[in-house]
Amino acid sequence: EAIVTSEELGQDLEHVEVLQKKFEEFQTDLAAHEERVNEVNQFAGKLIQEQHPEEELIKSKQDEVNASWQRLKGLALQRQGKLFGAAEVQRFNRDVDETISWIKEKGQLMASDDFGRDLASVQALLRKHEGLERDLAALEDKVKALCAEADRLQQSHPINASQIQVKREELIANWEQIRTLAAERHNRLNDSYRLQRFLADFRDLTSWVTEMKALINADELANDVAGAEALLDRHQEHKGEIDAHEDSFKSADESGQALLAAGHYASDEVKEKLTILSDERSALLELWELRRQQYEQCMDLQLFYRDTEQVDNWMSKQEAFLLNEDLGDSLDSVEALLKKHEDFEKSLSAQEEKIT
């Protein structure tokens, strides 16, 4: 009877399971004694049937034994119910503690101040965070199930209702906290990603501008018309590439302006980069225009040199014609010479227009 009337219900699930195991051993022992009680009842019945002189005493003892036996079995059922209830409550406590422990472990990851140093590291952190968010989504069902279990246990075990409610509130508080941390970290990582994406575009564009400036400045002025024409063609190709990058400059500017409009934590840096990007683009266009003027001037100079050389060569040839002392020795030859001279004068007029 001391076993079934014990109020010890265990401090945790492991302790309760130990008590349940001991009680199961007691129940086995109890079942083994039931046959002994039956034998006592049979013997008492036999004595009464034989009209034993102590019949009243026998009946009294029989009733006492049966009453004690039924009371013991009733107490055993109560003890079994209490241990079962204690196991349910302690199992709930254990599940809540394990869930809170997992939440706090993940919470430490959520509280990290590492938001990436470049685009690749931010992308890696975002992938890792998305994995944590998937874990949280899966955990949400467990949290809901534990809250439902808490409601059930409070109804079935009113004596433990206040303690169960404390556990329930502790679970909900930790759950709400990690959800808030997850949302805040997701937003910070997105902010970091947008910044690093902008900075990567900034570095790509400024690097390209530096390379393009070097290309534009690389060519020396030409020494002939063909070279000057080739320089102008190549310079126009550079302009085509510059125009092709206009969308990239526009996109980078829009990204930066969006960060400023959103009040991004790195707004000062973004504003500085936008100014540099605009200045670099303007400097590139100015350089291209300056070199275009130089190449066109070079072209004009080489055309002048070519025309001057052509005129010099023509004049050298015509001077030999004019110095010829052949005046003809017949009418036909004189007329032929006159015709050549007229042709010369026409050619001279044409060359004069070119020279002037």
Side-chain angles (χ1 to χ4, degrees), residues 17 29 49 69 72 78 123 135 184 353:
E17 289 174 344
D29 187 50
Q49 189 177 8
W69 178 249
L72 184 61
Q78 291 178 20
Q123 288 173 324
D135 291 342
E184 290 175 351
E353 291 178 4

Side-chain angles (χ1 to χ4, degrees), residues 64-78:
E64 184 180 337
V65 169
N66 286 329
S68 296
W69 178 249
Q70 292 303 321
R71 181 172 180 276
L72 184 61
K73 288 176 68 175
L75 290 172
L77 284 174
Q78 291 178 20

Side-chain angles (χ1 to χ4, degrees), residues 200-218:
D201 291 342
F202 168 80
R203 287 190 293 270
D204 289 344
L205 286 171
T206 51
S207 175
W208 173 81
V209 167
T210 300
E211 293 174 2
M212 187 54 62
K213 284 180 178 178
L215 279 176
I216 291 173
N217 280 319

Side-chain angles (χ1 to χ4, degrees), residues 72-332:
L72 184 61
K73 288 176 68 175
L75 290 172
L77 284 174
Q78 291 178 20
R79 176 66 176 168
Q80 184 180 34
K82 288 180 179 179
L83 287 174
F84 178 79
E88 280 191 316
V89 172
Q90 293 299 342
R91 189 173 293 109
F92 167 78
N93 289 340
R94 181 201 61 186
D95 291 346
V96 169
D97 288 341
E98 288 180 351
T99 303
I100 290 175
S101 177
W102 185 93
I103 288 174
K104 289 182 176 178
E105 179 185 336
K106 300 304 178 184
Q108 291 178 353
L109 297 176
M110 300 286 186
S112 170
D113 59 357
D114 181 11
F115 299 106
R117 299 169 303 282
D118 51 40
L119 190 59
S121 60
V122 173
Q123 288 173 324
L125 287 173
L126 270 171
R127 286 193 297 271
K128 183 177 181 180
H129 187 72
E130 287 166 0
L132 289 174
E133 287 182 324
R134 285 192 294 272
D135 291 342
L136 285 183
L139 183 67
E140 186 172 9
D141 290 338
K142 184 173 183 181
V143 171
K144 289 179 179 178
L146 285 172
C147 287
E149 177 69 358
D151 293 339
R152 185 187 72 81
L153 290 174
Q154 283 178 297
Q155 294 293 324
S156 60
H157 304 290
I159 194 172
N160 300 112
S162 60
Q163 180 266 322
I164 293 170
Q165 182 61 20
V166 169
K167 277 292 182 185
R168 185 179 189 275
E169 291 174 356
E170 184 183 0
L171 174 63
I172 292 174
N174 278 274
W175 172 245
E176 293 298 334
Q177 182 182 20
I178 198 170
R179 287 181 64 187
T180 301
L181 282 173
E184 290 175 351
R185 181 162 178 77
H186 190 87
N187 290 336
R188 287 296 301 271
L189 285 173
N190 277 337
D191 287 345
S192 181
Y193 173 78
R194 291 166 60 205
L195 173 63
Q196 294 302 333
R197 177 74 272 173
F198 168 75
L199 293 178
D201 291 342
F202 168 80
R203 287 190 293 270
D204 289 344
L205 286 171
T206 51
S207 175
W208 173 81
V209 167
T210 300
E211 293 174 2
M212 187 54 62
K213 284 180 178 178
L215 279 176
I216 291 173
N217 280 319
D219 292 322
E220 296 182 359
L221 297 178
N223 295 318
D224 53 41
V225 173
E229 288 177 343
L231 280 178
L232 281 171
D233 288 342
R234 189 155 55 249
H235 195 59
Q236 196 58 43
E237 289 175 1
H238 294 332
K239 185 60 166 63
E241 187 172 352
I242 292 172
D243 291 342
H245 276 73
E246 276 302 300
D247 286 345
S248 297
F249 277 101
K250 182 179 178 181
S251 177
D253 183 72
E254 289 175 350
S255 297
Q257 294 298 339
L259 291 172
L260 295 179
H264 195 278
Y265 63 85
S267 290
D268 290 343
E269 181 182 5
V270 171
K271 192 179 297 183
E272 177 188 356
K273 300 300 186 193
L274 284 174
T275 301
I276 293 173
L277 200 58
S278 177
D279 291 346
E280 286 291 310
R281 176 180 172 277
S282 297
L284 177 62
L285 291 173
E286 289 172 5
L287 174 62
W288 184 88
E289 179 61 24
L290 175 63
R291 293 296 280 176
R292 183 191 66 77
Q293 293 175 8
Q294 291 175 344
Y295 291 153
E296 287 188 351
Q297 290 171 355
C298 177
M299 181 68 169
D300 292 341
L301 181 62
Q302 293 305 321
L303 286 172
F304 171 75
Y305 285 158
R306 184 193 66 184
D307 292 345
T308 301
E309 184 178 357
Q310 289 175 350
V311 170
D312 283 343
N313 291 337
W314 179 85
M315 287 191 296
S316 296
K317 291 179 182 178
Q318 299 309 318
E319 188 176 351
F321 170 75
L322 293 174
L323 292 175
N324 189 347
E325 296 181 356
D326 182 11
L327 300 177
D329 53 6
S330 64
L331 182 60
D332 290 340

